Amino acid sequence: MKKLLVSVFVFLFTSAALFSQKSNTQIGREYGEKYRQIGQDRSLSGYEKGQRKKQLSLKKKQEMIRNNQNHNHNNHGVTSNSNEKERLEKKIDRLEEKYDREKKNIENNYNLSKSEKKIRKKLLEKKYKAEKEILKKRKDDL
């Protein structure tokens, strides 16, 4: 009888939780309380407690996944586009810094002749421009 009541309670509590938007920390706190209740239940054997906690952890994972999917769906991608643009801008900045470093390395390499330095700089510049164009196109597409 107790097992039935506990399972009904868990089912009702989790189904009610699915309809409201909660953060993952709130979900974790609720399930932490449930874990504690299972652990303190003296009518259950250790094996049964383990099985219930395992079932509860699966439900917790499913609820968190649904919560994250609902959260992402409700944002309509507005924040992800702006975050993506910022990420691409930072990537372009890092690419420019990398280009400057590599260019200085070529200039400071005294083992290379003047013509070899010139050729390597041109190749580096072509590579840099191609990568920068790709990143700019991605940014403009957003």
Side-chain angles (χ1 to χ4, degrees), residues 25-78:
T25 55
Q26 289 172 332
I27 293 170
R29 287 180 185 150
E30 290 173 1
Y31 277 91
E33 180 63 27
K34 292 177 189 177
Y35 285 123
R36 189 184 61 75
Q37 288 174 355
I38 291 172
Q40 289 180 347
D41 190 358
R42 294 180 184 263
S43 66
L44 299 174
S45 69
Y47 178 78
E48 290 172 332
K49 287 179 184 180
Q51 292 299 315
R52 294 235 175 123
K53 287 183 179 182
K54 194 180 281 188
Q55 290 173 351
L56 197 58
S57 70
L58 290 174
K59 288 180 185 178
K60 177 183 172 187
K61 285 180 185 178
Q62 290 172 351
E63 186 174 344
M64 288 183 134
I65 289 170
R66 275 191 227 113
N67 185 34
N68 290 338
Q69 287 174 347
N70 289 340
H71 179 70
N72 291 341
H73 180 68
N74 291 338
N75 283 340
H76 303 293
V78 174

